[in-house]
Amino acid sequence: MLELLKDIRGFLKERKKWWLIPVVVVLLLFFVLIFVTSGSAVAPLIYTIF
């Protein structure tokens, strides 16, 4: 996972695609939200929101 983030950062830096940073941040937040709530009682509530 850490290697993937380094690759994405290198791509953004080299290609000057700074507009992709918000997209990457939102995707990471969704990943963290799904990972944290996957085993909890909050999961059904989160899934109904989306």
Side-chain angles (χ1 to χ4, degrees), residues 1-46:
M1 183 66 178
L2 196 56
E3 185 70 29
L4 177 65
L5 293 176
K6 286 180 184 178
D7 286 342
I8 291 172
R9 185 182 61 123
F11 172 78
L12 294 175
K13 187 176 181 182
E14 184 176 325
R15 305 267 195 239
K16 306 290 189 224
K17 301 280 186 185
W18 301 116
W19 58 272
L20 284 174
I21 291 176
V23 175
V24 172
V25 170
V26 168
L27 288 175
L28 285 175
L29 287 175
F30 277 133
F31 174 75
V32 169
L33 180 69
I34 290 172
F35 181 75
V36 169
T37 61
S38 64
S40 71
V42 183
L45 175 66
I46 298 297

